[in-house]
Amino acid sequence: MTSPDMANGLAVVARRPYAWRLRRGVMTLGDRTRLMGIINVTPDSFSDGGRYTTVEAAVAQARRLVAEGADILDIGGESTRPGAQTVDASEEMARVIPVIEAVAQAVDVPLSIDTYKASVAEAALVAGAVVVNDISGFRFDARMPEVIARHGAGVVVMHSRGTPGALHGLSPVLDILADVTASFERSLEVARTAGIGLDSIVFDPGLGFGKTLEDNLWLLGTLPRLAALGRPLLVGPSRKSFIGKVTGKADPSDRLLGTAASVALAIAGGAHIVRVHDVAAMRECAALVDAVRTTVFPTGEPG
């Protein structure tokens, strides 16, 4: 199963430009790859849990990521790694809201709140976030679409399987690409019904969430098919376990090179945004792939 884009022999595919509407302002997508830097305000995230749990540490990390080239920062207060415990909305808000308020004052890039809870999203938008990154694609909280629509926020709609606390270790599906596509189409219908503008939506195939190793590799290799759905793509492979399975690196902090390879594949396949921990290194990776695409498609369109 290869898409026409993949069968043409090119190392990169053309990337359609978009104007992504946020709660305040618009982010141009497609001219170059945008980098979403990760700030986990959690004690138990798989890669950096406990490092940025204070406001001071989170602000320092935000400044560092922006200096390294982050175009947007994604702040989360609940780990979704395998085995992580769910937290209630009040605890999640206690973790993220002071950080969002402080980071919004400290840096001049858009902020995203990584949450699937509508009450947390609303508080974060009031505190200074302009994007909601919902790993459930509107599945976990029926109020989420209304909150996003009312605030006019941007939204990352991610594909995942399972329920909160049970997102991993699921039985595989027969066709992961078809499952992701159908999920995105359902999310689009929910968004339309709620009054969320199409130009506010970015898709994320959700590498690592309810997927086998082969699923993750297949999605990385078939991204052009998802681009056909007509929305920008965000891909987040950073330090994930599928990289460790391929490279033999058990420690997430040792997965820099595998992450770089995954990021390069994602960008070559049409990703507009990559969500990463190591912004400086991935900025170099993105610059090279973007340069190849600009050379192959100097007008932004297939030759």
Side-chain angles (χ1 to χ4, degrees), residues 1-3 6 159 173-185 205 211 214-216 218-227 229:
M1 278 186 353
T2 58
S3 72
M6 296 178 67
H159 172 273
V173 296
L174 182 63
D175 185 337
I176 190 60
L177 190 62
D179 196 77
V180 171
T181 299
S183 174
F184 284 161
E185 289 172 345
K211 298 172 178 69
E214 291 75 18
D215 288 341
N216 290 307
W218 184 256
L219 288 170
L220 268 179
T222 56
L223 278 178
R225 290 174 177 248
L226 296 179
L229 294 173

Side-chain angles (χ1 to χ4, degrees), residues 43 73 102 108-109 129 131-132 139 146 148 156 170 207 222 254:
L73 298 176
D108 190 25
V109 301
V131 172
V132 176
R139 292 188 302 116
E146 183 273 330
I148 292 168
V156 177
L170 304 172
L207 298 181
T222 56
D254 290 335

